[in-house]
Amino acid sequence: MAKKISNKFWFQLHGWFSLPIWLLFCFICITGTISVFSHELTWLTNPDSRAYNPSQVSEMSAGSVLRTFKDEYPSADVMGLNVREPYLTYVVMFTDVDKPYALAYVNQYTGAVQEINDGNTFINFMRSLHGWLLFPWQNGYSVGYYLVAFMSLILLGALITGLVVYKKFWLAFFQFKLRKSQGGRTLAADIHKLSGVWSLWFMTVMSLTGLWYLTQAVLWHAGVELEHHETLNAADIPNSTINANAVETSVDLALGEIQQLYTDFRPSYIMLPEHNRDTLKISGANDYILYDDYSINIAYNTWNDTVVHHANPDSMTGLQTVMHITDPLHYGTIGGIWTKVIWFIFGCILSGMSVTGFIMYQLRTKRARSQERSNARQLKAQQG
C-alpha cells in the first residue's frame, strides 16, 4: 500500500512540474530551438547580412573595417565591432546625431556598408524573446530573465520525477513501443515516454545550463562582477593625451599582438575605449574545446600600444569557466553546424513533450470527470 501511495505521489508531482505551465515552457523551448539557427536564418532572410566576396579576396582587418565605416559616416561615434561567422558581415555598433543606437553591416571583403538598423535584428529578437521574453531590464535585472531561468528548476523536477515514475526506463532504448490502436491517451503516453528517455541527456544539459543562468541572474542583481575589468592609472596616460595612432590602427596592432600570444586567435568582439582611462577590449577564441567565442580577453593600452591584461581558460576561476562553457552547451555551438542540427532536433522533441504531456493531462482529466459523473449517477440511482 505504501508503495502505491508513493508511486501516486511521484506521478502527481511529475504532473505538477510538467503541466501547469506547459504553454510558457513550450514557448521558451520553441524560441530556444529557433535561436540555435539564428545566424543561419539571418543569412537566409536578410541579403544585407551576407558577406559577399565576388572577387575572392581576403578579409579586411578589423581596423580597416572601422576606418572604412568612419570615412563614410564621419559623425558617428563608434562603440565597437562584432565579428560573426565568415558568411555574415561584420557589425559596427555606433551612435550618431539621429541614431541613439545603431548597427551597421559592413562587408569585410568589399568594405561596403550594406545596412544600417536600430538593433532590432532577427538574432537579437530571438535571443531576447528566448532569454527574457522581451521583459524590460531595470537596475541590472529583468523579471523575464528570472522567469525563463526558473524554468530550469521545472525541467529538472520533471526530469527527476519522470525517472521515478517510469520504472525501468532504460528498456525504451531497445523497445520502441508505440501503441497506435489503443486510443489517443495511450499513444500520447508512449510518445511522451519514448521522447523523454532519448532526451535524458538533452534535458540534463538544458537543466544545468539553465540553473547557471539563474545563478548568474542572482549574481548580476547582487552586483557581483564575474569578469576582470581593466582601467588605466593616471600615470599611464601621457600629459598631451594625444596618441600618435588612431584607434583603428591600435585595433590592428592589438590583434597582431594577440596573434603572437594565441595562435589561430579569432576575434569575436571589439569594444573601443569609452574614455581616456579606458582600455581597448578584445574578446575571441582559438582552439579551447567547449569554450565560447569570448573565452580569450585582452585589455590594450591605446596610448602606448601595449597589452595590459589578458585572460584565457587556463587562468579562469571556477565561475568564469562555467560562464564561458554554458552558452555553447545550451545552444549547441560546440561542434558547428552538426551539433546545431542535433540540438535543434532535440529542442523540437522537448517542445513536443510539453504538448504530449498536456494532451495526456487533458485526456486523464476528461476521463476522471466522466468517471465522477458516472459514479454520481449510480449513487443517485441507488438512493432513489
Side-chain angles (χ1 to χ4, degrees):
M1 182 67 180
K3 183 178 180 180
K4 292 183 179 179
I5 294 174
S6 177
N7 286 341
K8 182 178 179 181
F9 167 78
W10 284 110
F11 190 83
Q12 290 176 338
L13 186 61
H14 179 68
W16 186 89
F17 276 117
S18 304
L19 300 173
I21 52 175
W22 77 273
L23 183 60
L24 176 60
F25 181 78
C26 184
F27 179 79
I28 293 172
C29 287
I30 291 173
T31 54
T33 301
I34 296 173
S35 295
V36 168
F37 285 125
S38 56
H39 284 187
E40 289 79 4
L41 290 172
T42 295
W43 183 93
L44 184 66
T45 58
N46 184 3
D48 290 335
S49 70
R50 302 171 188 172
Y52 300 103
N53 189 10
S55 302
Q56 297 301 308
V57 297
S58 301
E59 287 188 16
M60 300 168 60
S61 67
S64 297
V65 170
L66 291 172
R67 194 176 294 108
T68 300
F69 174 77
K70 286 288 290 182
D71 289 342
E72 189 166 344
Y73 294 89
S75 63
D77 182 13
V78 177
M79 296 179 289
L81 177 72
N82 188 19
V83 180
R84 303 181 292 181
E85 284 87 347
Y87 57 82
L88 293 174
T89 63
Y90 285 13
V91 180
V92 176
M93 295 153 282
F94 70 99
T95 62
D96 211 336
V97 289
D98 59 341
K99 296 178 179 64
Y101 179 78
L103 302 178
Y105 289 173
V106 184
N107 191 319
Q108 62 270 32
Y109 301 106
T110 65
V113 179
Q114 297 180 176
E115 179 179 304
I116 300 289
N117 61 67
D118 61 0
N120 291 319
T121 63
F122 182 80
I123 293 176
N124 291 341
F125 175 76
M126 288 308 305
R127 290 293 177 94
S128 301
L129 187 61
H130 174 66
W132 52 89
L133 303 174
L134 300 182
F135 277 68
W137 286 79
Q138 298 176 336
N139 300 320
Y141 76 96
S142 169
V143 173
Y145 192 97
Y146 275 114
L147 186 59
V148 173
F150 182 75
M151 291 297 106
S152 63
L153 296 175
I154 300 298
L155 180 58
L156 184 61
L159 172 62
I160 294 173
T161 55
L163 291 178
V164 174
V165 169
Y166 189 10
K167 305 299 182 183
K168 298 182 179 180
F169 64 88
W170 55 87
L171 295 178
F173 287 116
F174 313 101
Q175 301 173 0
F176 293 88
K177 185 173 63 174
L178 290 177
R179 293 167 290 181
K180 301 178 182 179
S181 60
Q182 298 186 24
R185 178 186 173 188
T186 300
L187 179 60
D190 287 346
I191 294 175
H192 188 79
K193 292 176 182 177
L194 189 62
S195 300
V197 169
W198 282 93
S199 301
L200 285 175
W201 69 272
F202 186 74
M203 288 189 287
T204 302
V205 170
M206 293 301 106
S207 299
L208 295 180
T209 53
L211 282 175
W212 165 251
Y213 291 135
L214 180 60
T215 304
Q216 186 173 249
V218 174
L219 294 175
W220 282 345
H221 203 166
V224 177
E225 294 287 348
L226 297 177
E227 296 278 26
H228 178 83
H229 297 284
E230 187 75 28
T231 56
L232 301 176
N233 297 319
D236 297 325
I237 304 174
N239 293 331
S240 63
T241 65
I242 297 176
N243 187 0
N245 295 322
V247 68
E248 296 85 4
T249 302
S250 291
V251 168
D252 285 341
L253 291 173
L255 288 172
E257 294 243 12
I258 299 173
Q259 290 290 351
Q260 299 297 318
L261 293 171
Y262 304 100
T263 57
D264 299 324
F265 175 80
R266 302 182 303 277
S268 298
Y269 185 75
I270 299 171
M271 179 180 287
L272 304 187
E274 296 181 1
H275 48 79
N276 284 346
R277 291 183 59 184
D278 198 11
T279 56
L280 169 67
K281 300 175 180 64
I282 300 178
S283 299
N286 61 355
D287 57 354
Y288 283 102
I289 300 175
L290 293 182
Y291 288 85
D292 61 17
D293 290 336
Y294 310 95
S295 57
I296 296 176
N297 291 279
I298 306 294
Y300 191 79
N301 184 346
T302 58
W303 298 110
N304 57 19
D305 291 308
T306 57
V307 174
V308 295
H309 176 78
H310 64 94
N312 59 52
D314 294 333
S315 61
M316 287 181 182
T317 64
L319 288 180
Q320 289 172 343
T321 297
V322 173
M323 181 172 65
H324 283 284
I325 66 174
T326 296
D327 273 3
L329 290 173
H330 194 76
Y331 290 102
T333 59
I334 53 178
I337 188 66
W338 295 112
T339 50
K340 285 185 178 183
V341 170
I342 294 172
W343 260 244
F344 180 84
I345 292 172
F346 280 92
C348 292
I349 293 174
L350 186 57
S351 302
M353 286 181 64
S354 62
V355 176
T356 54
F358 179 74
I359 292 174
M360 292 163 58
Y361 172 76
Q362 287 289 85
L363 293 175
R364 189 181 300 112
T365 302
K366 182 178 179 180
R367 182 179 179 180
R369 289 175 179 174
S370 177
Q371 185 65 42
E372 287 178 3
R373 287 194 294 267
S374 176
N375 293 339
R377 286 194 297 267
Q378 292 178 4
L379 181 61
K380 186 176 180 180
Q382 293 173 358
Q383 292 175 347

